[in-house]
Amino acid sequence: MSAALPLPAAAPAAFSLADYEQAARQRLDAATWARVFGAAADEHTAQANRADWAALRLLPRVLRAGAGGHTRVHLLGREWPTPLLAAPMAGLGALHPGGDLALARACAAQGAGLVVSERCGVDIETLAQAVRAEPGRGPLLVQITWHPDRGWMRQWLARIAAAGFDAVVLSVDAPVQGVRDAERRVGPAPIPPCPNLQDRPPLRPDPAAGLCGGWGALAPSWDALAQCLADSPLPLWLKGVLHPDDARQAAALGAAGVIVSNHGGRVLDTAVSTAWALPRVVDALGDALPVAVDGGLRRGTDVLKALALGARAVLIGRPLAAALAVGGALAAAHALRLLRDELEAALLLTGTPHPAAACRDLIAVDGAPLP
Amino acid sequence: MSAALPLPAAAPAAFSLADYEQAARQRLDAATWARVFGAAADEHTAQANRADWAALRLLPRVLRAGAGGHTRVHLLGREWPTPLLAAPMAGLGALHPGGDLALARACAAQGAGLVVSERCGVDIETLAQAVRAEPGRGPLLVQITWHPDRGWMRQWLARIAAAGFDAVVLSVDAPVQGVRDAERRVGPAPIPPCPNLQDRPPLRPDPAAGLCGGWGALAPSWDALAQCLADSPLPLWLKGVLHPDDARQAAALGAAGVIVSNHGGRVLDTAVSTAWALPRVVDALGDALPVAVDGGLRRGTDVLKALALGARAVLIGRPLAAALAVGGALAAAHALRLLRDELEAALLLTGTPHPAAACRDLIAVDGAPLP
Amino acid sequence: MSAALPLPAAAPAAFSLADYEQAARQRLDAATWARVFGAAADEHTAQANRADWAALRLLPRVLRAGAGGHTRVHLLGREWPTPLLAAPMAGLGALHPGGDLALARACAAQGAGLVVSERCGVDIETLAQAVRAEPGRGPLLVQITWHPDRGWMRQWLARIAAAGFDAVVLSVDAPVQGVRDAERRVGPAPIPPCPNLQDRPPLRPDPAAGLCGGWGALAPSWDALAQCLADSPLPLWLKGVLHPDDARQAAALGAAGVIVSNHGGRVLDTAVSTAWALPRVVDALGDALPVAVDGGLRRGTDVLKALALGARAVLIGRPLAAALAVGGALAAAHALRLLRDELEAALLLTGTPHPAAACRDLIAVDGAPLP
Amino acid sequence: MSAALPLPAAAPAAFSLADYEQAARQRLDAATWARVFGAAADEHTAQANRADWAALRLLPRVLRAGAGGHTRVHLLGREWPTPLLAAPMAGLGALHPGGDLALARACAAQGAGLVVSERCGVDIETLAQAVRAEPGRGPLLVQITWHPDRGWMRQWLARIAAAGFDAVVLSVDAPVQGVRDAERRVGPAPIPPCPNLQDRPPLRPDPAAGLCGGWGALAPSWDALAQCLADSPLPLWLKGVLHPDDARQAAALGAAGVIVSNHGGRVLDTAVSTAWALPRVVDALGDALPVAVDGGLRRGTDVLKALALGARAVLIGRPLAAALAVGGALAAAHALRLLRDELEAALLLTGTPHPAAACRDLIAVDGAPLP
């Protein structure tokens, strides 16, 4: 079904995103693998993210297809080719030389959006320039974290706006790094330098306050969010929301959107999966705010399920990192193409003409075989 | 318990349908195995089909047996020896020379019906002729797909009626092929030529409309079904229905029956299992239409459960393909005999005198060990 | 905890019933293993029998122990040392020379009752004589199947009463043998001759009536039960009941008790487990009839759970066959002693002074971790 | 995240409590391993203890961190550095020379409390003296069992009070040893001598009363608890409570607290897990009594979940025994530090400023992915 995109000669045949993850495991050193593909503690949440999407059962409709089917979505005041975006990932340069730009080009070529990490290996202006002019590109955002120095934050938000991004994403789910046993076991992986934050003042938690006291004092609060919203020229999304009440609060304060995420299971192990949280956040928000989601989506049917549960867009992380590691931009584009083809097949096979038509009736609510 | 049907000398001993699937795996090349026995994507639905039948728990009655027990069923205005039918499968010639006729003869010999695939390797007239005169045969149907050329469809429906089939089955669950990773991994399997559709105009989806736009424009709609119902001299069943509302709509338009099916898990992975969908479709239809089911039935107890949940007949696919591959007509007949014997034992052991007496009280609704 | 019963020199150390089953597997030929330890079809029910007892969670009480704790139970108008009985098993002579008498002696020595199979390898008079005089023995019953020749049945029931049994047990769950793939795969095991039924007229099902028609005509009905109840000088229990309505009907006709059983999963695969059926049958009967249960009980905690769910006694089958195969009477007695010791520990550790004090509050109804 | 505590040279790298258990298995002989790390029968409860904590899903809040976060808790009228306590364990000397004192020092160094076993290898006065003066230590308790000689019990309780303990813990869940197949299989492990109970009169159960009658007569009752409460100069907690009604009864009689415990799955297999029992006991007690819990807690997130379900403190057993076996006091302190760091991270990542702020809303009640 997928077009025969030429892969680099040494690349293995890949027919699904899982194939890329398996191939990347063969190629990467243990430390880099653990940094990118490992998760927190016993990795229950990372596994539940994948398993819970797969476990949702689709209840397809027949005889509803027709001319005019498409994958386009509305977001940030515009229409985009697909609901797919690349998730923010730091250190892509360790997977492929110039990995950030390679991923950006792959996304633009496949109509997928891109959320650039503030810790990417290229200055954000260069990256924005490479993408903005591409016809058929998806939305372009940059993901940031909070810093207590409000002046510096204001500058940083202004710089992002000036670079031509469509919106900014504030991550709020990792005030401290998770318990990364996998990484600690194999030792630190070299992380490529990041040119964007060199002037940011360092954070120095009070060692006498203990771990939660010290880092807690430096963590963002709802007031911090209010400041960012006031200081950002661009619409600002909140990333890392799982509790419906937090989503409501974000809406009340003026956020432009919410990304349901548990950081790919990388910070708080045994947190709820994003498939569990998404419909609850969507119900809490109603039409107040658009919602996106990431974490464990690996198939076109997973994307369709997220749309059916109310997501406007989905973010794809590790599988694109894996494709990058396997074959650079071309492989990343191929991975996105595979996913897009799978999504188109899923739309057609469930009688869903386009993403906005996906509704919750597509999901079989009760797993029990008997009424 | 099963009669000692002689198997071909080289055939392995088989005591259940699973034995045939295992033996076929040893004999078939990887590409043919993947084409026939593979399923879509991660094969969740193909596995759930089997697991959900097995997971249903029977609550047998005692001291209810008696003289006169039998396996006969009413369907299409007649009584037939058993509720078993062979499911439509293309390319049986790749499993056994003359596979379509071999399977047809096996079915007739065991009182099982047959749903011939339009893509079978023999013209349907020859096939109908070989079966119709057999005493004790089951119902004879042909499975078709929709084509936008109404004139050609009308001819095709007329030709089927003229050949002497009992009814026609329109598949509606595969407007596009599924995501068949397993097949793509091993490469294409040669499919034997099909003599029935040589005059059918080719389908040419608009390449500019994308996968779902292009194939969607060529897919059947409810209007298409209405046309077929108007144009078919024979009763027409709909195959591939999972949603109760679609079943209701089929009844409203005049379909003669509904086959609950997810195409053996071959098109939309993570679709609900047929054991899940069957009772809901039956409840939606009440007495309006007879319902058949396929997907994952491997044991006589599975067949009994389908009957108890309201199915009038069940279709068996891959296990018969496996038996064909192992030992031709004789093995296929043996497989049907095994299943029929198991069904007879299940009827007797649950105090169910005949298929129509199977009711939902036979199924233990709540898996919890305590009231 | 268990007394140091001397085992035969060659016997392996066994600390639980499971140890005996494992040891027996090493010693028995494949055909005998399959005949005794195999089950029907895919053995779902045989596995569920064990798993469902194990899965029930106990909610023990503290500070309730005290002097006077014991394992005695009332049954058939008398008090017996324990609620344990050996289940009826044919062909024990293939496991150990003189296996039936060996098992009988082991039961008597450990205060366990015995349900002799009518197909045992010794005449029932000899067996009864060997047990009846033993001080501290448990109840002594014989298990029979129905035969359409009422005159012969009347003689057989009279002979059982004359031999001095305490009651008779009519099996009603196997009007036809189950689908025993495991046995068919390895071929028939030699079954030792049975001296008890040599004068019983053979059953000759009508070959033209099919499996369920032919055997169904020879199967017992509720009328047959009424005849047996009228003809039996001894109290008659019904064995093989799973449906609450069948239990009610047995009570209405005058049966003396009901044994909840699925024949150890040997006849109808995917039938409900006995842990699932027991409380439902008990609730249906109220105080009308005593209930016993078999199938999958392997631990003292399993026995306690059965008592808590309302069973008056439990039957143990395969584990005693295994012990017999491993070390004859001594090993069988040791296995019963292990189970009895485990039961005593379970009583003490849950604050249950004796079997009749076990109530349903001991079972944690809801497996969910949160209220 | 965890401080770089120096481990003994030969100690393996350990990044979680599970690492210590794995390393200990390599170092200990089979008998000692079975004695300390084995559990009752088939170890269902020991496994459920761990699995049920892990299976609870956290629903974290964002943007709630702030200055002043800490791990302090109130207990026994004082504030302590952490909610962690070492569980009572006998025979620690077999794991490390002077194991009891080593564990005591590790706890004091990490702000963890200690529940000394009455069967420890050092006299309780020495142990209390070593801990009481440590700044930043946690609560210090001694765990006892009941003895029918009230005079001796009164002396023993007075001696504990005189030694300077903060409270005493009466174990009530093991009136008889559990069915320890694992231990019986490998044979007895040498247990180091215990200096504390040398003057305690031996228990001699009546051999004619059977296991449950004999040991039952020597087991504690609610009257025994009332005596202990009357005779103890120190507050007395009850350990081994699972049933809400038993917790209520303990409160009514004047106990100072309740420890929800199933003895680590070592006595009654298939008893409910402590994660299952805790919220039910907490709900039964309301504010009447503080509740602690042990059994299967291995991660900081497990500790947070216990706090969220209403526990005031948690006891950690086998993991500390494992660390002791691997590297003595330093390793035990490191293990406690790992757990404390994980707890701090979990507090921060869920927006919980301190243990008393953890509430049930942190736990996702329904595992189903859809509302």
Side-chain angles (χ1 to χ4, degrees):
Chain A
M1 180 173 311
S2 117
L5 279 179
L7 281 180
F15 302 99
S16 69
L17 299 196
D19 289 349
Y20 276 116
E21 293 198 50
Q22 212 170 344
R25 184 150 215 171
Q26 310 303 322
R27 293 176 177 227
L28 295 173
D29 63 282
T32 300
W33 173 264
R35 179 175 66 77
V36 179
F37 296 93
D42 301 309
E43 311 202 346
H44 288 291
T45 293
Q47 288 167 25
N49 274 351
R50 288 192 293 276
D52 283 4
W53 289 117
L56 289 171
R57 290 287 170 254
L58 288 167
L59 188 49
R61 307 304 297 262
V62 295
L63 298 171
R64 290 189 166 206
H70 64 81
T71 61
R72 297 189 295 276
V73 294
H74 268 88
L75 213 62
L76 296 165
R78 278 187 51 183
E79 192 179 66
W80 308 96
T82 77
L84 308 176
L85 291 92
M89 291 179 280
L92 292 180
L95 302 176
H96 188 81
D100 301 286
L101 279 166
L103 179 58
R105 288 197 191 98
C107 288
Q110 290 296 332
L114 174 66
V115 186
V116 183
S117 166
E118 65 181 2
R119 290 193 287 137
C120 67
V122 62
D123 57 276
I124 59 167
E125 288 80 4
T126 302
L127 207 144
Q129 200 173 1
V131 170
R132 280 193 58 82
E134 289 289 327
R137 71 164 175 95
L140 182 63
L141 303 91
V142 65
Q143 171 264 349
I144 62 170
T145 52
W146 185 72
H147 192 280
D149 182 335
R150 186 170 184 180
W152 184 88
M153 278 299 285
R154 200 180 284 133
Q155 280 181 334
W156 178 219
L157 288 164
R159 182 180 156 200
I160 291 166
F165 283 85
D166 298 307
V168 65
V169 172
L170 180 70
S171 278
V172 295
D173 56 2
V176 71
Q177 207 193 359
V179 175
R180 299 266 180 83
D181 292 356
E183 288 182 52
R184 294 195 286 185
R185 235 166 235 128
V186 292
I191 303 185
C194 166
N196 289 307
L197 304 174
Q198 285 168 344
D199 62 343
R200 187 164 72 173
L203 291 177
R204 294 203 173 84
D206 175 7
L211 194 152
C212 63
W215 284 100
L218 300 173
S221 62
W222 288 106
D223 284 345
L225 173 63
Q227 281 181 16
C228 289
L229 287 167
D231 293 347
S232 172
L234 291 177
L236 186 145
W237 286 56
L238 215 57
K239 181 168 187 287
V241 173
L242 294 171
H243 199 291
D245 290 344
D246 287 344
R248 277 192 203 97
Q249 177 78 345
L253 291 179
V258 157
I259 303 177
V260 170
S261 174
N262 51 33
H263 221 106
R266 296 167 68 84
V267 293
L268 179 71
D269 197 29
T270 74
V272 294
S273 74
T274 51
W276 189 91
L278 173 64
R280 291 165 170 85
V281 166
V282 165
D283 286 350
L285 289 176
D287 292 330
L289 281 191
V291 177
V293 67
D294 73 2
L297 298 123
R298 296 291 181 272
R299 286 285 186 184
T301 42
D302 296 339
V303 177
L304 176 61
K305 290 166 183 177
L307 298 172
L309 294 177
R312 198 76 71 82
V314 304
L315 282 66
I316 307 296
R318 290 182 182 98
L320 297 180
L324 261 189
V326 169
L330 214 47
H334 180 245
L336 282 164
R337 176 64 188 263
L338 285 174
L339 192 60
R340 184 178 171 169
D341 281 354
E342 288 186 5
L343 173 60
E344 292 205 56
L347 288 167
L348 190 47
L349 291 170
T350 55
T352 313
H354 53 82
C359 67
R360 217 168 277 187
D361 184 50
L362 277 180
I363 311 281
V365 174
D366 174 13
L370 259 188
Chain B
M1 180 174 309
S2 116
L5 278 179
L7 281 180
F15 302 100
S16 68
L17 299 197
D19 290 349
Y20 276 115
E21 292 198 52
Q22 212 170 345
R25 185 152 215 169
Q26 310 303 322
R27 292 175 178 228
L28 294 174
D29 62 283
T32 300
W33 173 264
R35 179 175 67 76
V36 180
F37 296 93
D42 301 308
E43 311 202 346
H44 287 292
T45 293
Q47 289 167 25
N49 274 351
R50 287 192 293 276
D52 284 3
W53 289 117
L56 290 170
R57 289 287 169 254
L58 289 166
L59 188 50
R61 307 305 297 263
V62 295
L63 297 171
R64 289 189 166 207
H70 64 82
T71 61
R72 296 189 296 276
V73 295
H74 268 89
L75 213 64
L76 296 165
R78 277 187 52 184
E79 191 178 67
W80 308 96
T82 77
L84 307 176
L85 290 91
M89 292 179 281
L92 292 180
L95 302 176
H96 188 80
D100 301 284
L101 280 166
L103 179 57
R105 287 196 191 99
C107 288
Q110 290 297 332
L114 174 66
V115 186
V116 183
S117 165
E118 67 182 1
R119 291 192 288 138
C120 67
V122 64
D123 57 275
I124 58 166
E125 288 79 5
T126 303
L127 208 144
Q129 200 173 1
V131 171
R132 279 192 61 81
E134 290 289 326
R137 71 166 175 95
L140 182 62
L141 303 89
V142 65
Q143 171 263 351
I144 62 170
T145 52
W146 185 73
H147 192 279
D149 182 335
R150 187 172 182 179
W152 184 88
M153 277 300 284
R154 200 179 284 134
Q155 280 182 331
W156 178 218
L157 289 164
R159 181 182 156 199
I160 291 166
F165 283 86
D166 298 308
V168 65
V169 172
L170 180 71
S171 278
V172 294
D173 57 3
V176 71
Q177 207 194 359
V179 175
R180 300 265 180 84
D181 292 356
E183 288 182 51
R184 293 195 286 185
R185 235 167 234 127
V186 293
I191 303 186
C194 166
N196 290 307
L197 305 173
Q198 285 168 344
D199 63 344
R200 187 164 73 173
L203 291 177
R204 294 206 172 83
D206 176 7
L211 193 153
C212 63
W215 284 100
L218 300 174
S221 62
W222 288 106
D223 284 346
L225 173 62
Q227 281 180 15
C228 289
L229 287 167
D231 294 347
S232 173
L234 291 176
L236 186 146
W237 285 54
L238 216 57
K239 181 168 187 287
V241 173
L242 295 170
H243 199 293
D245 290 344
D246 286 344
R248 277 193 203 96
Q249 177 78 347
L253 291 179
V258 157
I259 303 178
V260 170
S261 174
N262 51 33
H263 221 108
R266 296 167 67 83
V267 294
L268 179 71
D269 197 28
T270 73
V272 294
S273 74
T274 51
W276 189 92
L278 173 64
R280 292 164 169 85
V281 166
V282 165
D283 286 351
L285 289 176
D287 293 329
L289 281 191
V291 178
V293 67
D294 73 2
L297 299 124
R298 297 291 182 270
R299 287 285 186 184
T301 43
D302 296 338
V303 177
L304 176 61
K305 289 166 183 177
L307 299 171
L309 294 177
R312 198 76 71 82
V314 306
L315 283 65
I316 307 295
R318 290 181 183 98
L320 297 180
L324 261 189
V326 169
L330 215 47
H334 180 244
L336 283 163
R337 175 65 189 262
L338 285 174
L339 192 60
R340 183 179 172 169
D341 281 354
E342 288 186 4
L343 172 61
E344 292 205 57
L347 288 167
L348 190 47
L349 291 170
T350 56
T352 313
H354 53 81
C359 67
R360 217 167 277 187
D361 184 49
L362 277 180
I363 312 281
V365 174
D366 174 14
L370 260 188
Chain C
M1 180 174 310
S2 114
L5 279 179
L7 280 181
F15 302 99
S16 68
L17 300 197
D19 289 350
Y20 276 116
E21 291 198 52
Q22 212 169 344
R25 185 151 214 170
Q26 309 304 321
R27 293 175 178 229
L28 294 174
D29 63 281
T32 300
W33 172 264
R35 180 176 65 77
V36 179
F37 296 93
D42 301 309
E43 311 202 345
H44 288 291
T45 293
Q47 288 167 26
N49 274 351
R50 289 192 293 276
D52 284 3
W53 288 116
L56 289 171
R57 290 286 170 255
L58 288 167
L59 187 50
R61 307 304 297 262
V62 295
L63 298 171
R64 291 188 164 206
H70 65 80
T71 61
R72 297 189 296 276
V73 294
H74 268 88
L75 212 64
L76 296 165
R78 278 188 52 184
E79 192 178 66
W80 308 97
T82 77
L84 308 176
L85 291 92
M89 292 179 282
L92 292 180
L95 304 175
H96 188 81
D100 302 284
L101 280 167
L103 178 58
R105 288 196 191 99
C107 288
Q110 291 296 334
L114 173 67
V115 185
V116 183
S117 165
E118 66 181 1
R119 290 192 288 137
C120 66
V122 64
D123 56 275
I124 58 166
E125 289 80 4
T126 302
L127 207 144
Q129 200 173 0
V131 170
R132 279 192 59 81
E134 290 290 325
R137 72 164 175 96
L140 181 63
L141 302 90
V142 65
Q143 171 264 347
I144 63 171
T145 52
W146 185 73
H147 192 280
D149 182 335
R150 186 170 184 181
W152 184 88
M153 278 299 286
R154 200 179 285 133
Q155 280 182 331
W156 177 218
L157 288 164
R159 181 181 156 199
I160 291 166
F165 284 85
D166 297 307
V168 65
V169 172
L170 180 70
S171 278
V172 294
D173 56 4
V176 72
Q177 207 194 358
V179 175
R180 300 266 180 83
D181 292 356
E183 288 183 50
R184 293 195 286 185
R185 235 166 235 128
V186 293
I191 303 186
C194 166
N196 290 307
L197 306 173
Q198 285 168 344
D199 63 343
R200 186 164 74 174
L203 291 177
R204 294 206 171 82
D206 175 6
L211 193 153
C212 62
W215 285 100
L218 301 173
S221 62
W222 289 106
D223 284 345
L225 173 63
Q227 282 181 15
C228 289
L229 287 166
D231 294 347
S232 173
L234 292 176
L236 186 147
W237 285 56
L238 217 56
K239 181 168 187 287
V241 173
L242 295 170
H243 200 291
D245 290 344
D246 287 345
R248 275 191 204 99
Q249 177 77 347
L253 290 179
V258 157
I259 302 178
V260 170
S261 174
N262 50 34
H263 221 107
R266 296 166 68 84
V267 294
L268 179 70
D269 197 29
T270 74
V272 294
S273 73
T274 50
W276 188 93
L278 173 64
R280 292 165 169 85
V281 166
V282 165
D283 286 351
L285 289 176
D287 292 330
L289 280 191
V291 177
V293 67
D294 72 3
L297 300 123
R298 296 293 182 271
R299 287 285 187 184
T301 44
D302 296 338
V303 177
L304 176 61
K305 290 166 183 176
L307 298 172
L309 294 177
R312 199 76 70 82
V314 306
L315 282 66
I316 308 295
R318 290 182 183 99
L320 297 180
L324 261 190
V326 169
L330 214 46
H334 180 244
L336 283 164
R337 176 64 189 263
L338 284 173
L339 192 60
R340 183 179 170 169
D341 281 353
E342 289 186 5
L343 172 61
E344 292 205 57
L347 289 166
L348 190 47
L349 290 170
T350 56
T352 312
H354 53 80
C359 67
R360 216 168 278 187
D361 184 48
L362 277 180
I363 311 280
V365 174
D366 174 14
L370 259 189
Chain D
M1 178 174 310
S2 117
L5 279 180
L7 281 180
F15 302 99
S16 68
L17 299 198
D19 290 348
Y20 276 116
E21 292 199 51
Q22 213 170 345
R25 184 151 215 170
Q26 308 304 320
R27 294 175 175 226
L28 294 174
D29 62 283
T32 300
W33 172 265
R35 179 175 66 78
V36 179
F37 296 94
D42 301 309
E43 311 202 345
H44 287 291
T45 292
Q47 289 167 25
N49 274 350
R50 288 192 294 275
D52 283 3
W53 289 116
L56 289 170
R57 290 288 169 254
L58 288 166
L59 188 50
R61 307 304 298 261
V62 294
L63 298 171
R64 290 189 165 205
H70 64 81
T71 61
R72 296 189 296 275
V73 294
H74 268 87
L75 212 64
L76 296 165
R78 278 188 52 183
E79 191 178 68
W80 309 96
T82 77
L84 308 176
L85 291 91
M89 291 179 282
L92 292 180
L95 303 175
H96 188 81
D100 301 285
L101 279 166
L103 179 58
R105 288 196 190 98
C107 288
Q110 290 296 332
L114 173 66
V115 186
V116 184
S117 166
E118 66 181 3
R119 291 193 286 137
C120 68
V122 63
D123 56 276
I124 58 166
E125 288 80 4
T126 303
L127 208 144
Q129 200 174 2
V131 171
R132 279 192 60 81
E134 290 290 326
R137 72 165 174 94
L140 181 63
L141 304 89
V142 63
Q143 171 264 349
I144 63 170
T145 52
W146 184 73
H147 192 280
D149 182 334
R150 186 171 184 180
W152 184 88
M153 277 299 286
R154 200 179 285 134
Q155 280 181 332
W156 178 218
L157 288 163
R159 181 182 156 198
I160 291 167
F165 284 85
D166 298 307
V168 64
V169 171
L170 180 71
S171 278
V172 295
D173 56 3
V176 72
Q177 207 194 359
V179 175
R180 299 266 179 84
D181 292 356
E183 289 181 50
R184 292 195 287 185
R185 236 167 234 128
V186 293
I191 303 186
C194 166
N196 290 307
L197 305 173
Q198 286 168 343
D199 63 344
R200 187 164 74 173
L203 291 177
R204 293 205 173 82
D206 175 7
L211 193 152
C212 62
W215 284 100
L218 301 174
S221 63
W222 289 107
D223 284 347
L225 172 63
Q227 282 181 15
C228 289
L229 287 166
D231 294 346
S232 173
L234 291 177
L236 185 146
W237 286 56
L238 216 57
K239 181 168 188 286
V241 172
L242 294 171
H243 200 292
D245 290 345
D246 286 344
R248 276 191 204 98
Q249 177 77 347
L253 291 179
V258 157
I259 303 178
V260 170
S261 174
N262 51 34
H263 221 107
R266 296 166 67 83
V267 294
L268 179 71
D269 197 28
T270 74
V272 294
S273 73
T274 51
W276 188 92
L278 173 64
R280 290 164 171 86
V281 166
V282 165
D283 286 351
L285 289 176
D287 293 329
L289 281 191
V291 177
V293 66
D294 72 3
L297 299 123
R298 296 293 182 270
R299 287 285 187 185
T301 43
D302 296 339
V303 177
L304 176 61
K305 290 165 184 176
L307 298 171
L309 293 177
R312 198 77 70 82
V314 305
L315 282 67
I316 308 296
R318 289 181 182 97
L320 297 180
L324 261 190
V326 169
L330 214 47
H334 179 246
L336 282 164
R337 176 64 189 262
L338 284 173
L339 192 60
R340 184 179 170 168
D341 281 354
E342 289 186 4
L343 172 61
E344 292 205 57
L347 287 167
L348 190 47
L349 291 170
T350 56
T352 312
H354 53 81
C359 67
R360 218 168 277 188
D361 184 48
L362 278 180
I363 311 281
V365 174
D366 174 14
L370 260 188

